[in-house]
Amino acid sequence: MASSQRAVTRSVLVTGCSSGIGHAAALALAQRGWQVFATARREEDLARLHEEGLVPLPLELTSSASIDACVTRLLEHTGGRLDALFNNAAYGQPGAVEDLTRTALRAQLEVNLLGTHELTNRIIPIMREQGFGRIVQNSSVLGFAALPYRGAYVCSKFALEGLTDALRQELLGSGIHVSLIEPGPIASRFRENAYRAFREHIDTDGSYHRHIYRTVETRLSGKGASSGGAFTLGPDAVVDKLIHALESRRPKARYHVTLPTHLFGLLKRLLTTRGMDRVLLASTRDERKGD
C-alpha cells in the first residue's frame, strides 16, 4: 500500500466473533493495530466484544436487511473504506444426505454461502473504489474432501470454494486479493452449534441411519471419550494463516491448517476417486459403527 494508506489504521470486518476462530482472530488483529469490526448476533456477545476493545456490529447472515445495516454502520465508522473482510461465520448441519429436508439444507446455505456471498458483494465495490483490499474466506477441509453425515456442510463449503475461485480470477488486477483458509478440526463451539442443528432438523428415530446417529450424538454432545481428537488444534492455528493472508505482500490463494487438511489435500491429488473414498471412510470408521 502507498505511504498515505499505511498512515491510516487498517480496518477489518470479521464475522462470527462470539467464540472460536472469529473471536481469536478479532482479538489478535486488534493487538496488531487493526481497527476490528467484530460481528455477532446476540446482545450479550456484542457487549462483551465492546468491552474487549473491538467495534461490535450486529449481523444476521440470513437477513439482507441485517447485512445492509451492518455495512452501513461500518462505513459510517470508517468514512467509506475497508481494508479487509474475513468471512468466518458458519455452522455445521450434521445428518445423512437422505435425511436432509429442503428446509435444513436451505438454512445451511443461507448462512454459510448465500449470506456470506451477499456480504462480500456489498464490500467489493468499496475495495474497487479504493483500489485495494483483502477478502479471506474461512472454508474447511470439507470444502474439498467430503465426509459422510456432513453433506449439508460439505455442500456449503464446496460451493463457497467454487465461488471464491471464480471471484479470485475476476478480481485479478483490481488490487483486491482473495484467499481461502481450509482448517481441519479446530477447538471451538462448532460441535455445540452443530448438535443444536442436528436436534432441530434430523428425525433420528425415523431414519435408516438411527443406529449411527447415536454415535453422532455422543460425539457432538461431548459425552464421548474425546470431543476433540488427536489432530484438533486451537483457533490460533487459523489466526496465523489469516495474518499472512491479510498482511503479506503475496498472500496465498489457499492455506491448509491441521494435519488432516494437509494429508487429504495431498491424497486427493494422488488417488483415484474410489481410492480417496476408501481413505475418507476409514477416517470415520469409528463414528459409523453405531452403538
Side-chain angles (χ1 to χ4, degrees):
M1 297 180 186
S3 58
S4 61
Q5 294 166 352
R6 284 196 298 266
V8 179
T9 300
R10 294 173 296 184
S11 57
V12 58
L13 175 63
V14 181
T15 66
C17 295
S18 61
S19 65
I21 293 170
H23 186 238
L27 294 178
L29 291 173
Q31 291 173 356
R32 296 178 68 84
W34 287 77
Q35 182 183 26
V36 179
F37 297 89
T39 80
R41 293 182 299 166
R42 298 185 301 180
E43 288 296 331
E44 56 267 35
D45 291 325
L46 292 166
R48 175 171 50 85
L49 294 171
H50 176 72
E51 292 173 358
E52 293 171 334
L54 308 171
V55 182
L57 292 175
L59 176 63
E60 173 55 72
L61 284 172
T62 63
S63 166
S64 294
S66 178
I67 292 171
D68 183 68
C70 177
V71 173
T72 298
R73 292 179 62 179
L74 167 71
L75 298 181
E76 290 172 352
H77 277 282
T78 66
R81 62 187 298 275
L82 183 68
D83 294 276
L85 168 65
F86 179 37
N87 282 315
N88 165 73
Y91 76 97
Q93 171 63 65
V97 170
E98 65 187 276
D99 290 334
L100 294 172
T101 64
R102 177 177 290 205
T103 298
L105 189 56
R106 181 186 291 116
Q108 180 78 108
L109 295 175
E110 283 288 350
V111 174
N112 293 11
L113 179 68
L114 302 180
T116 293
H117 170 67
E118 184 174 353
L119 175 62
T120 302
N121 280 356
R122 286 296 311 274
I123 297 301
I124 289 173
I126 300 164
M127 294 182 173
R128 280 195 183 276
E129 178 68 22
Q130 65 197 19
F132 62 89
R134 301 287 172 98
I135 298 172
V136 183
Q137 313 276 41
N138 196 25
S139 181
S140 170
V141 60
L142 298 181
F144 65 85
L147 290 177
Y149 301 100
R150 297 161 174 84
Y153 186 72
V154 166
C155 172
S156 71
K157 292 302 186 179
F158 266 63
L160 178 66
E161 296 220 357
L163 271 181
T164 302
D165 285 341
L167 178 63
R168 186 182 62 252
Q169 296 172 41
E170 293 164 1
L171 291 177
L172 184 65
S174 69
I176 306 171
H177 296 277
V178 182
S179 299
L180 280 159
I181 299 179
E182 298 167 325
I186 298 293
S188 69
R189 279 168 36 188
F190 186 86
R191 287 184 176 87
E192 175 186 333
N193 295 330
Y195 186 46
R196 187 179 303 113
F198 178 75
R199 295 293 298 271
E200 180 178 354
H201 289 295
I202 301 300
D203 176 15
T204 56
D205 292 337
S207 171
Y208 172 85
H209 302 273
R210 57 188 175 275
H211 63 295
I212 292 176
Y213 284 156
R214 288 192 288 269
T215 304
V216 171
E217 288 199 72
T218 298
R219 174 175 59 85
L220 293 176
S221 63
K223 296 177 181 178
S226 173
S227 61
F231 301 114
T232 299
L233 299 180
D236 288 346
V238 177
V239 174
D240 289 343
K241 304 297 185 182
L242 173 64
I243 290 170
H244 188 276
L246 294 181
E247 299 182 359
S248 171
R249 288 186 177 182
R250 294 177 60 88
K252 298 179 180 180
R254 275 176 166 76
Y255 294 86
H256 287 181
V257 185
T258 73
L259 178 60
T261 307
H262 286 281
L263 178 60
F264 289 169
L266 174 63
L267 292 177
K268 189 165 186 179
R269 293 193 296 271
L270 298 177
L271 299 178
T272 64
T273 298
R274 291 188 183 279
M276 191 65 187
D277 282 351
R278 286 194 288 271
V279 171
L280 296 171
L281 287 169
S283 73
T284 60
R285 181 181 295 115
D286 287 345
E287 71 180 53
R288 289 183 293 105
K289 288 179 180 178
D291 287 346

